[in-house]
Every structure is written in structure tokens, then in C-alpha cells.
Amino acid sequence: MKPFCSPFLVGAALAVSLGSATAVLAETPNDQLIIGTSLAQVLSLDPQQGTEVKTQEILANTYDRLVFSDQTDGYKIKPQLAESWEVDDKGITFKLREATFTSGNPVTAKDVVFSIVRLLKLDQSAATNYKTAGYTADNIEGLVSAIDDKTFRIELTDKVIPEALLYRLAMGVSSVVDSVEVEKHVKNGDYGNEWLRTTAAGSGPYTLRRWTPNDIVLLEANKDYRGGAPAIRRIVMRHVPESQAARLMLERGDIDIANALTAADVRTFETKTGFVIDQVKTGGYYVLAMNAGREALAKPEVREAIAYGINYKGIADTILGSYGRWRNVPVPEDWAGAIANPDWSFQPEKAKKLLADAGYPNGLSLTLKTISQTPRVDMATAIQASLAEIGITVTIQQGNGADIVAAHRARDFDLLLPQTGSFMPTALGSLDNFASNPNNAKEANNAGNFVWRSAWDIPDLNALREQANRERDDAKRLDLVRQIQEKFIALKPAVLPMFERFEPIVVSGRVKGYSGHPWSLTRIEAVTKTDAP
């Protein structure tokens, strides 16, 4: 990684000039929230396209959705643009509250229809969770409707229950965009994507003032927001990928929040006064993706050998710390329906025998691709070392978010280190990334599907997942959830969950009301700051 060399813009200098650097070391103003983070994966600000973790935090504050999942109240679904809703056997009808976009245009049911249709018509990875629920580019226009300006309706398909649909509508990809403004910028049938990648057309508590890739994101309070202007006038997200630099900035008061620290640097704040560590449980995983389209990795014995060839405990203890815990089943261990972990611990001799039985008595060579980001770089090095002990020589290739994500979506890898999330706080929400692949054919080009990217064909597992998704009886659904996990383990997965993924966020004690969201949809509108002690 390149060394950190850009001085941070803080204090009065930030308010005066956003284009010039300063070396001033001062406490951040009470009306500004300064976040030190990694912006390496922020590739597009189009809410129906951008799915990366840091992108979601930007979208959460510049856009509203119909509903949201409240992380401070058991992840309950609560109103946002919707004032109320009614569920019947065939669909859900929403009544919208009075709200305006930052353009001044009113938010209407037409905008909601436009946004959901746009999501499916763009047909990118952002649409994946809707597609697994039976919504497609071909049928979506017949399943959503604006009954009047303030009444929106969406029909249920036979692949989704109402609760799961509401959680999908709470996702960042379901942000409601200003259809009037977006339609002004459509070029060559792109649904306004070129324009919306670098701007915002939302109704959220903040407006986008500036985004410079791998440098800065600047959000300004929306003075006309329906709930009143937020107390924090300005949010600055700065690209500080080097953990030590971010730690020193936080200690000096140059930033208020650091969310890309190494586990070791997070631990240094456990005994420091004036800081709070917010460990956000995402419901997702750090995963070792294996390309089953490669001859060796197509063999279950090789994939199982790799599963036995990783020192999970050592990685969890020395690298991950507050970033995660060892878990090889794609449902968090404390969620309803979770089964026990298999015995995939570090067993080199067993792994070597599996390789020999698969026709590789002398081992093999593979390349592992990873984003240059904490903690995945250190994880890659540790995996390289432990696989060497079973005879697998691993070459590591680091890259930025655009390069690695593109390679993943193009099936251009042997091994790769992605991460997942859970779009709802249930076992099926977590499993969706691991048990869904309706069409494994390369020509299907289903790059938004996590399993498809690994070319892992799982028709029976996919059918079981679809059955569970439409089952409305809770007990029967939990039984199906257990069956999915057991079958997943038995198939020796090409998408190997290694660690439940947490997001440790270190927050200055001056910041009040900040609560990290499991989907990174953290809203700042209710956050305040106090004077430095």
C-alpha cells in the first residue's frame, strides 16, 4: 500500500477551503463529523448500482427509502418515506409522507416505482436480492404501481414472504431517486447511470457536495430536510487506508471516527479514555472464494483439503480480533436455525491426503487475489503460509477495489477474498449469498450472484433455498434452513465462509448518538458533538 502522505483537512481550514491542504492539528468543530476510512471500494454513487460497504454509508445519508431497519431496536422495520403500510395475501401497499427531493421536487409514488423498476432494468449486482425473490427486468413493471401520488403498491411473488420483501425495501439499493431529475440525464438508454454515478438525486438529510475517488467525500446538511436540518452541518469522509495514520489522527483529535483500523490498533483504544468501540455485527462473512471453473478447484476433495489447510484459530487470534470470529457455516452461530460448525480446523496431514486422493500428491500452485485493505491483506498472507504447509503454493495479487471486484465478477481468479453481508437479520438473509445460483452457465453472465462468480453449480441447494424463501410457517422454514446448511457443508463449498464479519468502529467520546448499522446504512441526522474536554 502506498504511504499516507496527504495532510488532513481539519478545523477552520476545512471550512475555508476544501481544495488546499493544511497541517493544522486542532479539535474538529462541533458541527462537523470527520471520518477516517478507506474509500478504495467506492466505485459508483448510483444507489441502484453501488453496493460496496462505504458506498452504503454515503447513500444512507443522501437518500431515503420507504422503510429502514432500526439497529437500535432489534432491527425492526420502521417508516422512512412511508408513513404506513398494509400487508395482504398478494402484496404490500404503502402510504407516503410529505417529502421533497433536494431539487425541490416532491417525492411521489411515481418516484418509488421509477426507482424499483430502474434497479431491475439496470440489472447489475445491486438487483441480486430482488432477483432471488422473483423480481426481474421483464416482470417488474407489472408488479409495482403508483395508485396515486402518495400510494405505492408492490405485489408479492411466489418466491418471497412479506417480511423478506420489507427487508429488501430497506436496503440501500432501494433508495428512492428523483425521477424527474434522473430522466433529464438519460443517455443512450442508460437510465441516467452515467450522471448518477457521481452525483446524488435523493431526499435524505444530506446532499453530496464533493466526491474525489480515493481521497474525499463531502456531504452537506440538507436545510430543507423534512425532519429539520441535522445538527452536524458537514460530514467529511477521508481516505485514510493506513491504520497507524488513522489511529494517530483519532488520538490527536484530527478525526472523530476511524472505521478502517487493524485489529491491533482497535485494541489500543480499549484502555484509552474518551473513546468508544462500536463492534457492529454484520451478519456477513470473510470468505475464501474458489473458482470451480478451474480444473483442480472443481474437485470437492481439493476444496475440502483447502478447508482443512487454513489455520482459522491463528488468523482469528492474531489478525482479526474484533473484526470477526471463526465460523465455517454461513449462518451466524447465535441466529435461529444455525447448526454446529464442521471440524474444518487446521489439519495438515488430512489435507495432504485429500490432495493426494484428488490426484495432486505433490501439491499445486494457485493465485490468491485480494483488495489492499484491512484486514484482508494480512489474512491473505496467513492463508498463503498455512496452505504452503499442505503443499499448495499461493501467489498473492493485491489490487484496488475496482480491479479485484471486476476479476471476481468475471470469474478471473483461482482464489479470492471477498466479504459478504446479510440483507436481513435472519438465517435466510445470511444464506442468500451462499446457496443461490439459479443458472451457472457462463453465458448467463449473472455477475451479481455471489456463487455464480465461483462457477459453483448447486441446483439442488438452490431449489432448497427457494423452497425456504417462500415458506410462511416459521417452524417449517427453520427446518429447511438447517437442511440448507447441512447440504452446503456436504458439498464442500467453493465459497468457503471462514469468519463471521464484524465492523469495529472507534468513535471519539465527543460524538453522541452514533450507532453503526450492520448494512453500513448508518444515518448521521441524529448525531451531535460536544466540546472537547
Side-chain angles (χ1 to χ4, degrees):
M1 294 181 288
K2 66 179 183 180
F4 178 79
C5 58
S6 298
F8 191 63
L9 304 175
V10 296
L14 178 63
V16 174
S17 173
L18 295 169
S20 60
T22 176
V24 174
L25 300 179
E27 295 291 345
T28 59
N30 283 0
D31 64 351
Q32 298 183 27
L33 188 70
I34 317 297
I35 302 172
T37 188
S38 171
L39 299 174
Q41 286 187 270
V42 179
L43 310 177
S44 168
L45 298 185
D46 185 333
Q48 275 86 56
Q49 180 183 47
T51 58
E52 292 74 22
V53 170
K54 304 308 176 189
T55 304
Q56 295 305 300
E57 191 160 352
I58 301 167
L59 298 178
N61 289 285
T62 51
Y63 289 88
D64 286 330
R65 293 145 282 148
L66 285 172
V67 294
F68 75 102
S69 170
D70 188 349
Q71 73 273 29
T72 67
D73 191 16
Y75 307 110
K76 291 180 182 176
I77 294 293
K78 294 186 176 181
Q80 202 164 81
L81 281 174
E83 195 169 59
S84 63
W85 59 89
E86 293 183 3
V87 178
D88 57 51
D89 289 342
K90 293 184 178 181
I92 309 176
T93 302
F94 295 86
K95 289 292 184 181
L96 275 60
R97 65 177 80 247
E98 293 295 327
T100 59
F101 293 105
T102 55
S103 66
N105 294 325
V107 178
T108 69
K110 175 189 172 185
D111 297 299
V112 184
V113 170
F114 178 85
S115 302
I116 302 300
V117 169
R118 182 176 185 274
L119 172 66
L120 273 302
K121 293 291 187 180
L122 278 174
D123 197 20
Q124 300 198 17
S125 62
T128 298
N129 289 108
Y130 278 85
K131 289 164 71 176
T132 61
Y135 298 93
T136 69
D138 293 331
N139 70 16
I140 188 60
E141 289 172 294
L143 295 172
V144 292
S145 58
I147 297 173
D148 57 43
D149 279 354
K150 293 299 177 183
T151 309
F152 166 77
R153 180 169 174 85
I154 183 168
E155 308 298 334
L156 293 164
T157 72
D158 62 356
K159 294 185 176 182
V160 68
I161 60 175
E163 178 194 39
L165 179 55
L166 284 168
Y167 275 110
R168 283 170 168 85
L169 291 166
M171 296 174 65
V173 301
S174 302
S175 297
V176 178
V177 304
D178 186 339
S179 64
V180 174
E181 290 301 307
V182 174
E183 286 183 320
K184 292 177 183 178
H185 296 89
V186 173
K187 291 183 179 179
N188 301 317
D190 74 342
Y191 300 96
N193 174 248
E194 181 181 342
W195 178 71
L196 211 50
R197 285 171 62 91
T198 58
T199 189
S203 60
Y206 288 87
T207 62
L208 176 69
R209 178 170 172 184
R210 175 179 166 189
W211 168 41
T212 303
N214 292 326
D215 182 22
I216 190 172
V217 173
L218 175 64
L219 307 180
E220 296 281 359
N222 178 4
K223 60 182 177 60
D224 297 319
Y225 186 59
R226 56 183 168 77
I232 297 296
R233 179 173 60 89
R234 174 177 290 153
I235 304 171
V236 182
M237 300 173 69
R238 284 304 304 250
H239 184 53
V240 191
E242 288 74 21
S243 178
Q244 185 177 17
R247 176 176 60 80
L248 292 172
M249 286 177 167
L250 190 58
E251 290 173 341
R252 292 194 305 249
D254 299 340
I255 60 178
D256 304 303
I257 295 173
N259 60 20
L261 299 177
T262 64
D265 280 329
V266 171
R267 281 194 291 269
T268 65
F269 289 94
E270 291 176 353
T271 56
K272 291 182 186 294
T273 58
F275 299 95
V276 175
I277 300 175
D278 184 9
Q279 189 177 30
V280 182
K281 183 178 176 65
T282 69
Y285 285 80
Y286 290 109
V287 180
L288 182 63
M290 311 179 211
N291 190 343
R294 302 287 198 254
E295 181 180 353
L297 296 169
K299 298 182 177 183
E301 300 89 349
V302 172
R303 300 198 299 264
E304 188 173 24
I306 290 173
Y308 280 113
I310 296 173
N311 188 349
Y312 307 99
K313 185 177 186 306
I315 293 172
D317 290 347
T318 62
I319 296 172
L320 282 183
S322 53
Y323 272 91
R325 62 183 175 191
W326 174 14
R327 175 78 169 158
N328 299 122
V329 179
V331 175
E333 63 182 31
D334 53 351
W335 284 16
I339 68 170
N341 217 50
D343 75 336
W344 288 340
S345 55
F346 186 48
Q347 300 181 47
E349 295 308 314
K350 189 167 188 173
K352 289 177 183 177
K353 184 178 186 307
L354 284 164
L355 282 178
D357 291 345
Y360 298 94
N362 300 315
L364 66 153
S365 296
L366 298 169
T367 297
L368 171 59
K369 294 186 177 183
T370 182
I371 291 172
S372 301
Q373 192 175 72
T374 298
R376 282 185 271 186
V377 171
D378 291 336
M379 290 171 59
T381 302
I383 290 169
Q384 178 188 50
S386 61
L387 290 182
E389 294 192 38
I390 69 170
I392 296 179
T393 301
V394 172
T395 301
I396 297 174
Q397 289 184 3
Q398 296 184 39
N400 60 34
D403 293 338
I404 301 302
V405 171
H408 194 197
R409 292 175 177 172
R411 296 180 168 179
D412 180 22
F413 65 95
D414 296 333
L415 306 175
L416 193 141
L417 280 180
Q419 64 185 34
T420 69
S422 177
F423 73 93
M424 60 180 179
T426 67
L428 280 176
S430 183
L431 278 169
D432 207 63
N433 277 307
F434 296 90
S436 169
N437 190 7
N439 185 351
N440 192 56
K442 189 171 184 178
E443 55 270 21
N445 195 28
N446 192 9
N449 184 286
F450 193 72
V451 173
W452 181 92
R453 297 178 191 181
S454 285
W456 188 38
D457 199 11
I458 50 169
D460 293 342
L461 190 61
N462 184 77
L464 198 58
R465 179 199 60 81
E466 289 187 348
Q467 182 183 350
N469 271 329
R470 60 177 174 259
E471 178 55 66
R472 297 198 179 194
D473 182 279
D474 290 345
K476 291 179 181 178
R477 188 167 61 252
L478 276 182
D479 182 60
L480 288 167
V481 160
R482 296 186 186 97
Q483 291 180 47
I484 292 168
Q485 294 167 83
E486 290 164 355
K487 191 171 189 65
F488 176 85
I489 297 299
L491 289 173
K492 320 305 178 191
V495 284
L496 175 66
M498 298 184 292
F499 306 97
E500 281 187 53
R501 184 172 67 83
F502 304 137
E503 287 284 347
I505 303 171
V506 185
V507 183
S508 165
R510 296 178 59 202
V511 177
K512 308 299 179 185
Y514 183 95
S515 177
H517 195 280
W519 310 338
S520 296
L521 295 170
T522 306
R523 297 269 281 205
I524 309 299
E525 64 193 286
V527 172
T528 59
K529 280 174 65 178
T530 61
D531 292 332

